[in-house]
Amino acid sequence: MDIKHLKHPYHIINLTFAGIFLLIFIYSGIFSAEKNNYPIKSACKRITGKPCKSTGLSRSFSEIVRFNFQRAQKYNKYAIKIFSFFLIELLLRFFISFLIDKRPTQIKSIIFFDALFSVILYVYCFWGLIF
Amino acid sequence: MEENKTSNAGQGLGIAGLVLGIIALIISFIPCLGVWAILPGIVAIVLSAIGFSQANKANAAKGLVIAALIISIIGTAIAAWQIYMFKSAPSKIEKIGKEIEKAMKDEFDENDVKELEEAMEELEGEIEEVSEENAEEIGKAAGKALKEFSDEVKKTNKTLEDDTTNE
């Protein structure tokens, strides 16, 4: 791998995001739905007393990393799609880094298609949760 | 001039600002969780602004820092809007509660309330005299009274709903 390309801002951004996505999976692995020991609690449930669309996301993610998909679906019905977004994006970050390294001259096209694909994927995966 | 354009001034801060700005933007759209986006959003704005200033001074490329600044401002604005909605929610609920209370007062006059209180007192008296023989009878009477009251409440709710629709 060429060191010069590793210093490219997009490469650094890619690897940073990969790290953040990995942290999300580690967070889901450390905390569990059974113990319910999450540091971030559902704000709307605390204020209104009723669950909202994002309630149960952390518990769902924890169940997904433990391959309990049915339980994950029960905690939050949008969680599997959202988890898929983070997983696809994580793999995409490594793939894009590899691609930039192999084809440095086409970096502008790579960035354009990466941004376009990521936005479409975000809208598709988060649509139900947001609207 | 060419040399200056390839300067890296502000790039590091721009990258940090862009990453935090994108995180803020992703989180800000999520209902409820979006309020937390204000933290990375503000940090992203600060970093991007410093990066922009450094890039400007060194006459370096500014595309990345400008992108970071725009994305972080959008993310923070959406998060701020979510916070505003959260803050105003309790007062809105209180307002609705007061409206319902007022409507209930308008619908039930003092005589109705008095009648209801008397009926309740009567019922309490009967309950005190409860024995195995009359328990079933009292239970039935209480059930009937409750049903009548619940019908009245339903009727009032319907009138309220109709009024709201007409407004």
Side-chain angles (χ1 to χ4, degrees):
Chain A
M1 197 175 260
D2 194 348
I3 299 291
K4 203 175 88 184
H5 294 134
L6 271 177
K7 285 183 180 173
H8 193 280
Y10 205 68
H11 223 92
I12 301 167
I13 291 169
N14 252 331
L15 294 176
T16 312
F17 272 115
I20 291 165
F21 295 140
L22 273 173
L23 281 176
I24 293 173
F25 300 138
I26 293 168
Y27 173 88
S28 308
I30 292 172
F31 301 104
S32 73
E34 278 178 11
K35 290 177 187 167
N36 202 8
N37 52 353
Y38 301 97
I40 300 172
K41 302 279 177 194
S42 176
C44 63
K45 202 175 177 184
R46 203 180 56 228
I47 294 170
T48 63
K50 284 183 179 176
C52 64
K53 280 182 174 181
S54 61
T55 304
L57 264 182
S58 306
R59 279 173 287 168
S60 271
F61 275 24
S62 295
E63 291 297 342
I64 292 169
V65 295
R66 288 169 179 83
F67 302 105
N68 299 327
F69 297 105
Q70 280 186 331
R71 256 197 256 173
Q73 189 78 14
K74 275 182 193 168
Y75 285 126
N76 190 298
K77 59 178 176 177
Y78 309 105
I80 292 175
K81 259 189 181 179
I82 293 163
F83 190 88
S84 313
F85 169 82
F86 289 122
L87 190 63
I88 294 167
E89 278 294 322
L90 175 69
L91 299 174
L92 195 68
R93 293 307 106 211
F94 291 124
F95 177 67
I96 294 289
S97 285
F98 173 77
L99 215 59
I100 289 172
D101 190 53
K102 289 286 166 198
R103 297 179 179 184
T105 51
Q106 291 175 308
I107 194 157
K108 279 193 176 176
S109 323
I110 294 169
I111 291 173
F112 174 76
F113 283 107
D114 181 21
L116 187 72
F117 178 77
S118 295
V119 169
I120 293 169
L121 187 70
Y122 176 78
V123 172
Y124 173 73
C125 293
F126 283 75
W127 187 266
L129 186 72
I130 297 166
F131 301 105
Chain B
M1 193 72 175
E2 273 299 305
E3 270 180 24
N4 281 340
K5 280 282 176 192
T6 55
S7 162
N8 280 334
Q11 286 277 303
L13 289 171
I15 292 168
L18 188 68
V19 170
L20 286 172
I22 293 172
I23 292 167
L25 193 66
I26 290 174
I27 301 171
S28 68
F29 283 108
I30 302 171
C32 178
L33 198 68
V35 293
W36 291 98
I38 199 89
L39 301 173
I42 289 170
V43 176
I45 290 175
V46 172
L47 292 179
S48 314
I50 297 168
F52 181 77
S53 151
Q54 285 180 354
N56 215 16
K57 271 182 195 166
N59 199 21
K62 290 190 279 283
L64 189 102
V65 278
I66 290 172
L69 204 57
I70 292 169
I71 288 172
S72 48
I73 287 171
I74 295 171
T76 312
I78 297 167
W81 176 75
Q82 284 223 39
I83 290 171
Y84 168 74
M85 293 300 282
F86 253 99
K87 292 251 175 188
S88 62
S91 63
K92 276 181 187 169
I93 292 167
E94 206 175 304
K95 200 180 157 193
I96 292 168
K98 275 180 184 169
E99 274 174 20
I100 291 171
E101 203 181 308
K102 192 176 169 280
M104 291 287 272
K105 271 183 188 168
D106 291 346
E107 190 67 26
F108 296 109
D109 57 19
E110 274 184 26
N111 289 334
D112 289 331
V113 177
K114 231 177 190 178
E115 260 177 49
L116 191 68
E117 277 175 0
E118 276 171 14
M120 289 297 279
E121 275 171 22
E122 211 174 296
L123 196 66
E124 274 172 25
E126 281 178 17
I127 288 170
E128 276 170 16
E129 291 164 15
V130 73
S131 65
E132 274 185 26
E133 289 83 43
N134 59 9
E136 196 184 332
E137 207 176 301
I138 290 170
K140 274 181 189 170
K144 201 180 162 192
L146 273 173
K147 198 181 174 297
E148 276 172 16
F149 182 65
S150 118
D151 286 344
E152 277 294 321
V153 172
K154 272 182 195 165
K155 221 168 93 184
T156 315
N157 279 344
K158 201 178 175 302
T159 319
L160 275 173
E161 271 173 25
D162 290 345
D163 287 349
T164 320
T165 319
N166 290 337
E167 273 173 23

